[in-house]
Amino acid sequence: MKSDLFSSENMAQQATAPGMTLQNAKSIKYAVNGEMYARQGSMIAFRGDLQFERKGQGLGGLLKRAVTGEGLPLMAVRGQGEAWFAHEAADCFIVDMEQGDVLTVNGRNVLCFDATLSYEIKTVKGGGMTGGGVFNSIFTGYGKLGLMCEGHPIVIPVTPQQPVCVDTDAVVGWSANLTTSLHRSQSLGSMVRGGSGEAVQLRLDGEGFVIVRPSEVKPEKPSAN
């Protein structure tokens, strides 16, 4: 049988080392040798001796998710084998985190990560009155973090001289040393006339970067899990 379908760029190869790699722009391959974590329902294929188990968020995480709809619905993947992860054909990216790095990420953009990374769901200061999530996931430790977003992301530097304001429906994450606050960019007169649709943003100050997606978030489909 012959087809472009069977080209080398589409063919899955046997992993040569444990860990996370990009299979292509839309999926991540993970060679599991022990344990790793992934978004619930994101596994699209696997081979080998692997078990998938829902991972609890703890009482605090469950309460925050119940109130806000945000959070990290995770599953633990254990054993030895290879698994492929994707979510609605979103673009995938891998972040290599080193000791001392801290990254805050919207839970909707997390696909999978090494068990050596730690995360905590925290309140985003200034986010309570905006349209996006009030809580983000703070990642620390050493390892790889697989992210996803609809479209190719834009990374915008933030400096003390040039703070950046972002739409919370478009933001993916930012370096956690930045401070956040509420920014109102629409006048009262404009609001009375119906508004521009861009009334309030999240302002980021300090030295670092912010990652945004080239579209506003769509409502997620109800999870079957």
Side-chain angles (χ1 to χ4, degrees), residues 3 40 61 69 78 80 159 166 182 202:
S3 170
Q40 287 178 16
R78 301 185 179 97
Q80 289 188 322
T159 67
V166 296
L182 187 69
L202 192 67

Side-chain angles (χ1 to χ4, degrees), residues 56-72 119-123 135-136:
Q57 300 183 62
L59 180 60
L62 289 173
L63 288 174
K64 289 175 181 177
R65 191 175 176 209
V67 171
T68 66
E70 296 296 322
L72 273 178
Y119 77 94
E120 182 180 2
I121 300 174
K122 288 189 177 181
T123 305
F135 298 94
N136 263 22

